[in-house]
Each structure stands twice: as structure tokens, then as C-alpha cells.
Amino acid sequence: VLALEAAKAKGLEVKYELATPEAAPKDVGFAVPMLKLPSGQSMSQTCAILSVLGDKFGLKGTSDEEHIKCQQAVLDLDDMFLEAEHKKWNDNHDRADKWFAVLEKKLENTKFLVSDEPTVADFHAVFAFAWVDACYDGDYAKFPKLTQYLKDLDEYEPVKNMKNSGVTLIPKRYLKK
């Protein structure tokens, strides 16, 4: 949804509707997210969807180098989300810090992970850090660029609107009380 809302924010014409998982074609998958393209073709898997939407709406950067950085960041964040979800960092904060250092380095010269404009990698960061914040018993406070980046990301209008909309990023059972 964030990639579609970001495309709208860029002034592009974007139409979409949210559907229930039960409405998904059974030959595509069984879990959200899923996407039905204007051609009628459906697809699933977050990283694949972000790649297609990033290409379609120019949300992967402006150069070949940025496109590669974007894809790498999406996959790094996907690894981070999985490790956080499975609480692999709770007994190994050094592992979490290695990931946070990777992101800190990516943010050395840009406001967002790929460039000074948000990309689909940043939208995946919103999802990944919802899991980090819910499942990791440590923090990332010693990474100032990452901390500032997450604040800036929360102020990006499509992210702010999504977070204020009540859309659930992760199952409620994972949320910290």
C-alpha cells in the first residue's frame, strides 16, 4: 500500500482496492500481500511486489546504481524482518547491531536508504522495523543516522497517513503491551 500511496504522492494516477486474503487466486499463494495488476495477472511475495511497483512507478531510484542499491536494501530488510520475527537477535544483540550498522552505512550520504527520495526499500523498512520494534528486546539508539532515518520516514506523508489509518502491519499478538 505504501508504494501505491507514494506513487499517488508523486502525482501519478493510481487506483487500487484492498481485498481480503480469501479473495486471492489459489494458484498465486495463500497469504498476503498479493497484488492484482491491471493486466489481470496476480502475484504475491512482498519483495517481488515491491520490485514490480518500484519499476512501474519509478520508486527504485533514478539510476542503474540506485536500482541495484534499492533491491539490495529490500532483501537486507527482508532478512532483518525474518530474524527479528523469529527473535534470533534477543540472545545475540551483536547480530542485530551488525544489521543496524549496515543500514547506518547506507545512510551515510543520503536521507533515505537509496537516495534523498523514498524508495520501495524505505517502505519495506517501515514493515521490517514494525517487527524489530515488536520482537527485539534491544534497541538501535547507538545508531544515530538510523534513528534519525526512522523518524524522517515516519514523517513522510504516505507513511504517516498509513500509520494513522489503523492498518495493522503485524499480527496483534506480536505487539508489545
Side-chain angles (χ1 to χ4, degrees):
V1 173
L2 276 176
L4 297 168
E5 288 298 318
K8 278 185 180 180
K10 288 176 63 170
L12 300 173
E13 185 177 332
V14 178
K15 295 178 185 176
Y16 70 91
E17 63 182 66
L18 299 176
T20 64
E22 296 77 33
K26 300 303 178 217
D27 64 331
V28 175
F30 58 87
V32 294
M34 289 194 189
L35 175 70
K36 185 174 183 179
L37 300 165
S39 67
Q41 183 178 8
S42 294
M43 63 183 299
S44 65
Q45 300 292 338
T46 301
C47 295
I49 290 169
L50 289 172
S51 182
V52 168
L53 293 178
D55 286 339
K56 180 170 179 57
F57 296 119
L59 296 169
K60 289 173 81 175
T62 57
S63 67
D64 288 344
E65 180 184 6
E66 286 182 351
H67 285 213
I68 292 167
K69 285 180 179 180
C70 184
Q71 194 64 34
Q72 182 66 55
V74 165
L75 295 173
D76 288 344
L77 287 158
D78 209 55
D79 286 345
M80 290 177 67
F81 135 67
L82 288 169
E83 290 185 17
E85 176 194 18
H86 294 287
K87 300 186 178 187
K88 291 185 175 185
W89 298 346
N90 291 348
D91 294 326
N92 188 358
H93 287 208
D94 288 344
R95 174 82 176 171
D97 285 351
K98 285 180 182 179
W99 277 117
F100 300 147
V102 166
L103 297 182
E104 187 85 356
K105 183 71 175 167
K106 290 179 189 298
L107 295 162
E108 202 166 68
N109 298 309
T110 57
K111 181 176 181 178
F112 296 100
L113 291 172
V114 174
S115 67
D116 287 331
E117 295 297 320
T119 65
V120 292
D122 302 297
F123 310 143
H124 200 35
V126 172
F127 172 75
F129 274 87
W131 283 97
V132 169
D133 291 341
C135 297
Y136 178 47
D137 66 1
D139 65 51
Y140 38 85
K142 66 182 175 186
F143 298 93
K145 289 180 179 78
L146 176 59
T147 302
Q148 184 60 50
Y149 159 74
L150 293 169
K151 289 178 185 172
D152 292 341
L153 194 54
D154 278 347
E155 290 302 313
Y156 178 59
E157 203 64 31
V159 173
K160 188 188 303 185
N161 292 342
M162 188 217 50
K163 286 190 171 188
N164 290 333
S165 75
V167 169
T168 303
L169 290 174
I170 63 175
K172 291 182 192 233
R173 70 181 176 271
Y174 288 96
L175 299 175
K176 293 178 181 172
K177 305 291 186 227

